[in-house]
Amino acid sequence: MASDEDALALLALALIMKKKETKPVKRERKKWCKDWLLKRATYSHVNLLNELKFEPEDFKNYVRMDEKTYLELLSMVTPMIKKEDTVMRKSISAHERLSVTLRFLATGRSYEDLKFSSVISPQAFGKIIPETCQALYQVLRKDYLKFPTSEEEWKGVAKMYEERWNFPHCLGAIDGKHIAIVPPANSGSYYFNYKGYHSLVLMAIVNAKYQFMYIDVGMNGRISDGGVLQNTVFFEKLENGELHIPSSETLTGTNRNLPYVFVTDDAFPLRPDMIKPFRQANLKSHERKILNYRLSRARRVVENAFGIMASRFRIFYTHINLEPENIDKVVKASCVLHNFLIERSKRSYAPQECFYRENSESGNIISEGYNTQNSTMENLERRNPGNTLNTAKIVRENFMNYFNEEGTVPWQDNYVT
């Protein structure tokens, strides 16, 4: 018995000694960064930007704005995205972070592709672009994403719609788009929509100046389009009477009392505060066709707003390959940038051909304006009308009568056959 114990002890001792004699294999230490990525000062696209300052059109094409506007934006966002140098390495500057983010939005190129022109690694992009988009949204939304909060502000929106589009008491045009995405791993059919691809939904309300007043991003495309609006904070407040919308008023110079309403298309419900066109099958009279035409004129601003944004930020011509929370940041940043550039650099960002225009004398449409037809942004599905409140039908009839009587415009019959 003792000899067995001694044998086991000797075996254990031999194994321990052998382990000590075996030296661990020393792995070759990898570089923390590729050599060419360390030469950012030499090869980065910021050198190209310095040259493009002497070619203003090329500069605008590169970052979607002129140099003056870009520098203003850089000064606004720098405190939020600037990083400190360390003893190990020099930080990526705010200028590089902003310019490469704008280039990402403008082209929709992948991180792997952008690394060659920016000399920044894809891993760094994974932090830089979402952080910069978030910073853009935070610094711009206060002044450039204004949602009315009082009756006076709503009336200001309505006044501009009446002046520009001859549609009184209009509080804004509502629309939604599917934003095509590459679904995250293991998400199954969560984002898969009825159109046959994966998407998130962008809901928006636009004023008469083609600017977004309200956006809601991130709802998965699988949700029925009829239910998209009902899941927004806007609709919840609308239902609860918390938006401070003005009460019905008599139109100036008439005896007609009309409510304040939003204009929509057939993807949304007909409500007393939401007007949509008559369906094609129900266009039984000239008067209804006039209503549809006048409503269409007011609604085109939201289609043009989406179209301008998509044409300038070509990220919307791709299936966005980011995590959903980062897609949310990218879309929000694009919307506030759109508003900022409409306000500060409209001539270069959105010239006349971007907008719907018509010849009121001949009845010809000069320009349909930019739309999302060639992008991956698609309309929401047309809604089954279901049960509609009689009060909503009466409101639409009252607007129809107004447009065919005291609210008529000289050219409207030119557009209705």
Side-chain angles (χ1 to χ4, degrees):
M1 187 71 176
S3 60
D4 290 342
E5 291 177 354
D6 292 340
L8 289 172
L10 288 171
L11 179 61
L13 181 62
L15 290 172
I16 292 171
M17 294 302 292
K18 185 176 182 180
K19 187 175 182 180
K20 286 183 178 180
E21 291 174 1
T22 304
K23 294 182 179 180
V25 178
K26 193 172 183 179
R27 295 183 179 179
E28 185 178 350
R29 189 172 181 180
K30 293 184 177 180
K31 297 177 182 178
W32 72 271
C33 186
K34 294 178 180 179
D35 289 338
W36 69 275
L37 287 171
L38 296 174
K39 300 176 182 178
R40 187 178 306 118
T42 303
Y43 300 119
S44 173
H45 70 258
V46 295
N47 297 322
L48 174 61
L49 272 177
N50 289 332
E51 294 297 321
L52 293 182
K53 289 190 294 186
F54 303 104
E55 298 291 342
E57 288 302 316
D58 290 333
F59 189 98
K60 284 188 287 189
N61 187 41
Y62 197 85
V63 293
R64 298 303 190 256
M65 63 191 76
D66 58 50
E67 184 189 7
K68 181 181 178 182
T69 307
Y70 173 79
L71 292 176
E72 180 184 357
L73 186 62
L74 179 61
S75 68
M76 295 168 66
V77 80
T78 291
M80 299 188 67
I81 63 175
K82 182 180 179 181
K83 307 296 180 182
E84 298 297 328
D85 296 339
T86 69
V87 294
M88 296 290 291
R89 61 188 71 101
K90 186 177 177 63
S91 66
I92 300 172
S93 68
H95 174 37
E96 291 172 295
R97 290 168 182 268
L98 176 60
S99 59
V100 79
T101 299
L102 293 175
R103 192 62 184 161
F104 171 73
L105 298 177
T107 64
R109 290 160 58 190
S110 68
Y111 291 173
E112 191 65 31
D113 188 10
L114 279 175
K115 76 177 182 182
F116 295 110
S117 60
S118 63
V119 198
I120 298 173
S121 70
Q123 293 78 14
F125 279 139
K127 292 185 177 180
I128 289 172
I129 289 179
E131 284 180 359
T132 306
C133 285
Q134 179 67 16
L136 286 167
Y137 179 68
Q138 289 181 1
V139 300
L140 293 177
R141 65 178 178 178
K142 181 179 179 181
D143 294 324
Y144 297 98
L145 189 64
K146 295 181 179 179
F147 187 74
T149 56
S150 67
E151 288 192 12
E152 290 72 22
E153 290 179 356
W154 282 118
K155 288 181 179 181
V157 173
K159 181 180 179 182
M160 188 168 294
Y161 261 104
E162 185 168 12
E163 291 173 349
R164 293 194 176 194
W165 300 106
N166 310 104
F167 200 111
H169 289 192
C170 179
L171 302 174
I174 301 177
D175 202 1
K177 298 289 183 183
H178 285 281
I179 307 295
I181 68 169
V182 175
N186 303 316
S187 63
S189 61
Y190 184 74
Y191 297 96
F192 196 74
N193 62 39
Y194 73 95
K195 295 176 181 287
Y197 61 92
H198 299 267
S199 67
L200 293 174
V201 176
L202 166 62
M203 280 287 306
I205 305 175
V206 175
N207 65 21
K209 296 194 298 181
Y210 302 88
Q211 292 174 310
F212 298 106
M213 297 190 298
Y214 172 86
I215 56 173
D216 185 283
V217 191
M219 207 170 300
N220 70 78
R222 189 180 181 185
I223 293 178
S224 66
D225 290 343
V228 168
L229 179 66
Q230 283 81 349
N231 284 283
T232 63
V233 174
F234 160 76
F235 189 78
E236 180 183 347
K237 290 188 174 183
L238 180 65
E239 285 279 83
N240 295 333
E242 298 173 359
L243 294 182
H244 306 290
I245 291 174
S247 301
S248 299
E249 290 182 348
T250 301
L251 297 180
T252 304
T254 75
N255 294 320
R256 194 177 298 276
N257 187 279
L258 292 176
Y260 285 84
V261 297
F262 296 93
V263 294
T264 70
D265 67 8
D266 207 29
F268 300 93
L270 178 66
R271 295 167 45 95
D273 48 21
M274 209 171 286
I275 302 295
K276 68 177 185 178
F278 290 102
R279 289 199 162 194
Q280 196 68 30
N282 295 329
L283 287 180
K284 301 175 181 178
S285 67
H286 180 79
E287 289 75 17
R288 289 189 173 190
K289 292 178 181 179
I290 292 294
L291 180 281
N292 279 14
Y293 162 69
R294 297 289 292 273
L295 185 62
S296 174
R297 292 181 79 243
R299 273 203 69 261
R300 286 183 187 275
V301 292
V302 68
E303 289 291 347
N304 284 173
F306 280 128
I308 295 166
M309 183 174 71
S311 69
R312 298 301 180 238
F313 301 116
R314 308 289 284 191
I315 187 73
F316 296 109
Y317 277 66
T318 70
H319 286 66
I320 305 177
N321 190 11
L322 301 175
E323 291 298 317
E325 61 270 23
N326 290 336
I327 295 175
D328 183 273
K329 294 173 184 177
V330 163
V331 175
K332 286 181 175 179
S334 300
C335 290
V336 292
L337 279 170
H338 167 87
N339 284 1
F340 173 73
L341 293 172
I342 283 279
E343 194 74 32
R344 306 305 296 270
S345 190
K346 183 176 180 179
R347 184 174 297 179
S348 60
Y349 176 74
Q352 280 294 317
E353 60 266 24
C354 297
F355 307 117
Y356 174 82
R357 288 180 295 153
E358 57 192 8
N359 186 322
S360 58
E361 294 182 2
S362 66
N364 295 326
I365 295 174
I366 300 171
S367 170
E368 290 281 358
Y370 284 7
N371 57 51
T372 58
Q373 191 171 14
N374 297 319
S375 73
T376 57
M377 298 174 72
E378 290 197 60
N379 291 326
L380 301 184
E381 185 181 22
R382 295 297 180 260
R383 176 188 176 92
N384 186 321
N387 295 323
T388 302
L389 292 173
N390 282 332
T391 51
K393 294 179 181 179
I394 292 170
V395 167
R396 183 166 63 179
E397 293 285 333
N398 286 339
F399 271 94
M400 181 189 73
N401 292 334
Y402 169 75
F403 290 137
N404 281 278
E405 296 172 13
E406 64 268 39
T408 186
V409 291
W411 65 84
Q412 63 187 29
D413 287 333
N414 298 335
Y415 292 89
V416 176
T417 56

